[in-house]
Amino acid sequence: MKLTCLSKGDGFQYPPCHMLDLCGFRILIDCPLDLLAITIFSPLPCDVSFEASEDPSLDAQNPIPKKQKLERQLTPADLVCAEPWYKTVKALHLWEVSLIDIVLISNPMGLLGLPFLTQNPRFCAKIYMTEATAKIGQLMMEDLVSMHMEFRCFHGPDNSSFPGWIKDIDCEEVPALLKKFVFGENGDDLGSWMRLYSLDDIESCMKKTQTVKFAEEVCYNGTLIIKALSSGLDIGACNWLINGPNGSLSYVSNSIFVSHHAKFFDFHGLKGSDVVIYSDFSCLQSAEVTENGCISPDPDYNHVSTISDKKDENLAASLLNTEDSLEEIEKLAFVCSCAAESADAGGSTLITITRIGIVLQLLELMSNSLESSSLKVPIFVISSVAEELLAYTNTIPEWLCEQRQEKLISGEPSFGHLKFIKEKKIHLFPAIHSPNLITSWQEPCIVFAPHWSLRLGPSVQLLQRWRGEPNSLLVLEDGISLGLGLLPFRPIAMKVLQCSFLSGIRLQKLPALVSFLQPQIVLVPDAVNQRINLGEMKTKSVLYYSENETLRVPRIADNADLEITTDLVTKLSWRKLRQHENIGIARVKGELLMEDGKHRLVSGLEQEESSGKARPLRHWGSVASESLLDALLKMGVTGSIEHSTGENGSEDNSIIHVTNPSSGLIETSEIGTAIITDNENVASQIFLAIDRILDGI
């Protein structure tokens, strides 16, 4: 088995991407887009000017190093005024697409780059994802295309095969930050920029997918059994369990143990896997690091010596601790309180978060909060797919947590937004220029609008409208740089709230998780080794992998199991080996197949004699002439032994001269045994004597 990390990603919006070689098959795991890269584009045409001024509050959060600032401050004029191109996984373009056999998609964000692959005529891989991931991911791609088309209306079409703005970026006057986004740290990212796909490309891509339910087994080519298990990250997000003839493998993507909307992380289903690939890089971003670069101590998870002594049920209980989920609820409640404060002061709130689970919970909490208060503030959701997406989330109880399922069973909607939509407290509109939105509009209000990059969609126009209002609030998700993200909208008087929501397993919980799963081999990012001690976990081996490097993983089992049906087993003529009495051997004729990930011996089995008297056709070992002569004497065959020596004086071979009941010759040597006689009965007796001495089949 070989694992290549094509990209470590960057949080929830840009999940990791891996290539796995397993049992002779090449498996691509996730195919995301780096949507943060489109922040290099200006959200408005070049003839729409912004008032440029210094904003110390934003400079403090601008990630541009001081050395670059001394060269030249980044200004809105530096942004690219052109139809945006989109950045895919750079290393993926180095692989021949026709050699990819399987594509596994773990969550909707890992689906956004897939149409770039499927539109290649040489692509022929089998694509697997959960039903919910397919539906939500398709809606997200369609919304992205819709926002891009609106953007294109501003800038006009660009049908060139090579973007002209690349030449403008490759100049000494351009700030280094923009060059890094376009060309990468090593200057080799240029080939990863692509023109966005179309709605037809999305439709063609989705027709090539095979959707699965949680814990549903699918078989690929009779060799691999693939199963999706809930990761808890979001609705439909999953981890993968792959069983093959040489063992089992678990792929653990970004996961959340306890979720308030999605089904919990099903880590019990991964227990006992031979190999675990841990690909959750988000733990490195959210971990609390001390001055020496190590993870801060945690009495529950960081003492590995204690973890190794815990029982499985205690480990599972520690992993399902609800502290993290309660902290997430507190964050959501804080966002609601900030929005209420802004509304009370006469300001509006713009929420650009697009994580479906977070949006659903915010809509519910915010509506309940406004209903219990005296504020009469409308909530608008502006997106081309908002109506279909919100309706869909109330029809999929099997993908939700138990609390949401119980609400549906009791006759209530899974999410509270359905009630508030019916009561006209939440308004859904496909676009900001919708006629009904214009007639229903009132301020202050609370608006959910994409895109989180602040370069596409209705968020651009709304941010431009409210950027000068100090009582208004902008809610962003962590991941976008405030310095670059808000650059086109400076000066900005709005209050800005940037939220960091849980996007994976906290690093302190990793030792407990691996100790519970008890794999023989666990693969983790090399950066994890620098942050936390994994040496005492309940696993035989820990291997570390790096981005753009291939890691070879040793085989777990040298021998594979063979399944034979009961009726065929009864027909086998077993023979115990003389040198290994605990091993039996039989000769068969049949067809060896690979079915459902296992070797099977199927019909076609033939035995020369079902009574067990079939004559062996193959023997192995060396024949001692003295032992052979003794065996012949017991059978009434007499003879004498003649030894010959080689040039160095050592014994070369032996010849047994058979004299009775008929003449014959038996020559034994290191390379074989030759029987020469004109009497068939004597030849049979000699063969039988040899059969009694040697192991054969």
Side-chain angles (χ1 to χ4, degrees), residues 326-522:
L326 294 177
E327 183 180 339
E328 295 298 292
I329 292 296
E330 291 177 359
K331 293 178 183 178
L332 296 172
F334 180 73
V335 173
C336 294
S337 65
C338 291
E341 289 179 6
S342 294
D344 193 39
S348 296
T349 298
L350 173 60
I351 301 175
T352 62
I353 297 171
T354 54
R355 286 178 59 169
I356 182 63
I358 300 298
V359 170
L360 291 173
Q361 293 179 83
L362 274 177
L363 282 172
E364 189 173 60
L365 289 174
M366 204 164 285
S367 301
N368 288 327
S369 175
L370 292 176
E371 188 178 40
S372 61
S373 68
S374 58
L375 290 174
K376 303 298 180 182
V377 180
I379 298 177
F380 298 104
V381 182
I382 308 174
S383 169
S384 62
V385 298
E387 185 174 356
E388 185 176 359
L389 184 57
L390 292 180
Y392 175 73
T393 55
N394 264 307
T395 62
I396 49 172
E398 66 272 23
W399 305 101
L400 307 179
C401 62
E402 291 184 3
Q403 298 92 321
R404 302 287 177 180
Q405 293 180 11
E406 290 172 358
K407 289 182 67 175
L408 194 65
I409 294 173
S410 63
E412 301 178 32
S414 300
F415 294 96
H417 62 258
L418 192 61
K419 167 191 171 185
F420 296 108
I421 291 174
K422 291 181 179 179
E423 295 176 354
K424 304 296 183 181
K425 295 178 180 178
I426 296 179
H427 308 270
L428 309 180
F429 297 99
I432 198 168
H433 49 74
S434 300
N436 292 336
L437 173 60
I438 297 174
T439 57
S440 304
W441 186 263
Q442 70 177 69
E443 297 183 16
C445 59
I446 299 172
V447 181
F448 290 78
H451 186 260
W452 60 267
S453 65
L454 304 181
R455 295 298 181 267
L456 300 170
S459 63
V460 174
Q461 291 91 333
L462 293 172
L463 184 53
Q464 185 185 13
R465 176 184 178 88
W466 291 329
R467 64 191 179 102
E469 298 182 8
N471 291 328
S472 292
L473 173 67
L474 172 63
V475 181
L476 300 170
E477 188 172 355
D478 190 31
I480 182 173
S481 161
L482 290 183
L484 183 58
L486 296 176
L487 181 63
F489 307 99
R490 292 186 184 181
I492 183 167
M494 291 178 73
K495 297 188 292 290
V496 178
L497 175 61
Q498 191 165 26
C499 307
S500 175
F501 296 104
L502 192 61
S503 299
I505 302 171
R506 293 195 185 277
L507 196 54
Q508 292 91 339
K509 288 190 175 183
L510 179 57
L513 174 62
V514 175
S515 296
F516 177 84
L517 299 180
Q518 296 184 23
Q520 296 190 46
I521 300 176
V522 59

Side-chain angles (χ1 to χ4, degrees), residues 251-281:
Y251 179 85
V252 180
S253 60
N254 293 24
S255 304
I256 296 177
F257 287 99
V258 179
S259 170
H260 285 277
H261 66 285
K263 205 163 188 177
F264 287 8
F265 177 16
D266 183 10
F267 56 92
H268 290 86
L270 305 176
K271 184 176 175 60
S273 298
D274 297 315
V275 178
V276 169
I277 300 175
Y278 182 78
S279 69
D280 189 347
F281 284 83

Side-chain angles (χ1 to χ4, degrees), residues 573 575 587 607-617 691:
S573 176
R575 178 187 180 102
R587 187 172 73 241
Q607 289 289 81
E608 292 184 358
E609 295 182 22
S610 60
S611 61
K613 298 181 179 180
R615 191 180 75 171
L617 299 179
D691 182 48

